[in-house]
Amino acid sequence: MGLFDFLRSDKKKHEAAEKAAATASADYAVKYSDAVSATRAAADRMAAERMAAETRPKAAHPPHTPTPTSAAHKAVPAAPAPMPVPDVKKRTYTVRSGDSLSSIARLELGNEARWRELYAMNRGVVGSNPELIRPGQVLTLPQ
């Protein structure tokens, strides 16, 4: 095999590779356009279903309530009955001159560090500055 034969065979290999790449590219373009059209068709279908659902009259009957003989009550456990809330009287404290949230927390809650909890419960009364409380303000104390 001579040099020209080698170059000729190399050229044929190169042309075959280019042809294969062009075919693959064309296949990809077809697949891509098919995917785009399928997505567009699905979006149109969903929009049509949504429009139909919006124009459809609403059901006149109330939703189904499960009965002891229906299967629906077996699928979901019944919610527990709500616990009765004991009637606990809220503890309050009326701010006096010289008080601070930390001093109130120390006196009433037994821990000065609970002033943040006291502030969180009474933010509406105290305002945005926890260092500024006024005599006569009534604070709710945590339990």
Side-chain angles (χ1 to χ4, degrees):
M1 177 190 253
L3 178 64
F4 292 110
D5 295 332
F6 175 76
L7 291 175
R8 217 177 291 137
S9 69
D10 192 42
K11 183 177 179 184
K12 287 180 184 177
K13 287 179 189 175
H14 184 67
E15 287 173 355
E18 283 181 350
K19 185 177 178 182
T23 304
S25 177
D27 288 345
Y28 176 76
V30 168
K31 287 179 185 177
Y32 177 73
S33 64
D34 288 347
V36 168
S37 63
T39 304
R40 208 173 274 137
D44 292 342
R45 198 170 43 251
M46 289 188 323
E49 289 172 3
R50 187 173 46 247
M51 292 297 291
E54 289 174 358
T55 58
R56 189 178 311 132
K58 303 294 180 206
H61 55 83
H64 174 71
T65 304
T67 62
T69 57
S70 70
H73 81 283
K74 296 174 186 171
V76 178
M83 297 291 294
V85 178
D87 190 21
V88 177
K89 189 174 181 181
K90 290 184 180 179
R91 291 181 12 178
T92 60
Y93 179 84
T94 304
V95 177
R96 294 183 295 229
S97 180
D99 280 345
S100 66
L101 290 179
S102 60
S103 67
I104 297 169
R106 182 179 56 248
L107 291 173
E108 296 295 322
L109 306 176
N111 186 352
E112 188 175 296
R114 290 184 68 187
W115 73 267
R116 288 180 183 85
E117 183 181 355
L118 186 63
Y119 175 61
M121 285 187 72
N122 296 286
R123 189 178 300 253
V125 176
V126 175
S128 62
N129 186 355
E131 295 179 9
L132 182 62
I133 58 174
R134 294 185 174 84
Q137 289 178 324
V138 178
L139 305 178
T140 304
L141 298 175
Q143 297 299 325

